[in-house]
Amino acid sequence: MKTADKFFYPLIRCVDASGTVQVLKPRTADWVDAEEGRYYPLGSIVRVIGDGKTSARAKFEFGDKSSLVAGEGVEFATKEIKIGDLNRTLVLRKGRVYLKLPLQLKEGFFSVEAPNFQCENLAGESWFDYSAEADGDEAVLRCVTGSMALSGK
């Protein structure tokens, strides 16, 4: 039986930062530029900002076989966890992200939240696109391979 600690690092790691990619670490007030190869604590907020001239893109790893790719205009956070907790939660604030997780990931190990929905028990590859509009929020979710359980809030 595999456990989440075999799937996930205790921190997230930036593996690609093209354009302006910034991180706000927990309990800090200043955004810093993301550095490739650097680890960031859970509870960090990441934003990918375009400058209008070059497109921005970021890739972060949650573990050896778990990653997130974010394009321009994305903002997401990772939830802090208590010592000993094995699950991971991504909070999508805006934009589109692509997640790649192991297919054999057990229930409860990974979830994605936004203001009006929550996807739990993720495994495999999936897309999440979220935006807050004046007349309501818009979310598009796509499970490419694997599984997810969707609920509204």
Side-chain angles (χ1 to χ4, degrees), residues 11-23:
L11 309 168
I12 61 170
R13 183 169 74 102
C14 178
V15 293
D16 179 37
S18 303
T20 303
V21 180
Q22 296 179 321
V23 179

Side-chain angles (χ1 to χ4, degrees), residues 3-13 39-43 61-63 66-67 77-91 99 101-102 105-113 118-123:
T3 60
D5 58 343
K6 295 187 182 190
F7 290 113
F8 301 129
Y9 304 138
L11 309 168
I12 61 170
R13 183 169 74 102
Y39 288 85
Y40 296 94
L42 296 177
E61 289 181 342
F62 295 94
S66 305
S67 62
T78 54
K79 275 196 176 177
E80 287 187 79
I81 60 173
K82 295 176 185 173
I83 294 174
D85 282 352
L86 302 176
N87 63 321
R88 300 291 186 269
T89 301
L90 176 81
V91 180
L99 279 173
L101 301 167
L105 202 58
K106 300 288 184 189
E107 285 189 14
F109 280 178
F110 202 96
S111 62
V112 174
E113 294 181 0
Q118 180 170 342
C119 282
E120 298 175 322
N121 305 327
L122 289 167

Side-chain angles (χ1 to χ4, degrees), residues 26-151:
R27 291 167 291 289
T28 64
D30 297 322
W31 291 88
V32 296
D33 290 334
E35 296 177 36
E36 292 178 10
R38 185 173 184 131
Y39 288 85
Y40 296 94
L42 296 177
S44 295
I45 302 170
V46 176
R47 65 183 179 190
V48 183
I49 305 168
D51 62 7
K53 298 176 186 173
T54 59
S55 62
R57 179 181 181 274
K59 181 177 181 180
F60 284 82
E61 289 181 342
F62 295 94
D64 288 336
K65 297 179 182 177
S66 305
S67 62
L68 169 144
V69 175
E72 195 168 300
V74 168
E75 186 172 309
F76 70 89
T78 54
K79 275 196 176 177
E80 287 187 79
I81 60 173
K82 295 176 185 173
I83 294 174
D85 282 352
L86 302 176
N87 63 321
R88 300 291 186 269
T89 301
L90 176 81
V91 180
L92 183 58
R93 295 179 170 194
K94 65 178 179 177
R96 184 180 195 183
V97 297
Y98 169 75
L99 279 173
K100 186 173 184 179
L101 301 167
L103 282 171
Q104 64 273 48
L105 202 58
K106 300 288 184 189
E107 285 189 14
F109 280 178
F110 202 96
S111 62
V112 174
E113 294 181 0
N116 292 314
F117 73 85
Q118 180 170 342
C119 282
E120 298 175 322
N121 305 327
L122 289 167
E125 299 178 39
S126 51
W127 288 96
F128 297 87
D129 193 345
Y130 175 76
S131 62
E133 306 294 334
D135 59 345
D137 296 351
E138 182 177 332
V140 177
L141 317 172
R142 180 175 176 221
C143 182
V144 179
T145 63
S147 62
M148 72 170 69
L150 175 65
S151 63

